[in-house]
């Protein structure tokens, strides 16, 4: 008797979604880290125009990604809803 795992036969649409999602998630995470660092620097030097510009730029980039791909900021991962085990 062999065990069968869900991941042994991953659906093609799931693999396609992961190919799309992985680079976007990586970019989103990088932007969030850069934004966090820029906001921390701005907190220490609130009059610094360079930090103000960085915060404004990173906030816009994060907002653009969230606007185009709202699932990036959702609390529950898209995969759970689409391919998760039913209750």
């Amino acid at each position: 008797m062999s065990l069968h795992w869900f991941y042994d036969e991953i659906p093609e649409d799931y693999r396609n979604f992961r190919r799309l999602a992985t680079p976007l998630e990586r970019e989103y995470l990088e932007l969030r880290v850069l934004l966090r660092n820029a906001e921390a620097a701005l907190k220490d030097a609130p009059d610094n125009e360079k930090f103000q510009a960085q915060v404004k730029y990173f906030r816009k980039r994060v907002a653009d990604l969230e606007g185009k791909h709202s699932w990036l900021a959702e609390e529950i991962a898209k995969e759970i809803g689409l391919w998760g085990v039913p209750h």
Side-chain angles (χ1 to χ4, degrees):
M1 183 168 113
S2 66
L3 293 175
H4 179 75
W5 296 91
F6 167 76
Y7 297 107
D8 290 339
E9 296 179 14
I10 297 174
E12 184 64 29
D13 53 347
Y14 177 79
R15 282 185 262 151
N16 290 337
F17 175 76
R18 290 309 320 150
R19 276 192 284 273
L20 165 78
T22 301
L24 289 171
E25 289 169 340
R26 186 174 297 119
E27 179 183 3
Y28 184 68
L29 177 60
E30 289 172 4
L31 285 170
R32 295 293 306 246
V33 169
L34 290 169
L35 175 58
R36 180 200 63 201
N37 295 342
E39 287 175 336
L42 183 60
K43 192 175 188 180
D44 292 337
D47 296 328
N48 187 313
E49 291 180 12
K50 176 185 171 189
F51 295 148
Q52 291 172 356
Q54 285 179 344
V55 167
K56 183 178 178 182
Y57 174 74
F58 293 137
R59 281 184 181 163
K60 183 181 181 330
R61 294 275 313 273
V62 166
D64 288 346
L65 273 179
E66 289 175 351
K68 291 177 185 173
H69 309 284
S70 61
W71 52 268
L72 285 169
E74 292 176 356
E75 287 187 35
I76 298 175
K78 184 70 80 184
E79 295 95 325
I80 293 172
L82 296 174
W83 298 284
V85 179
H87 291 48

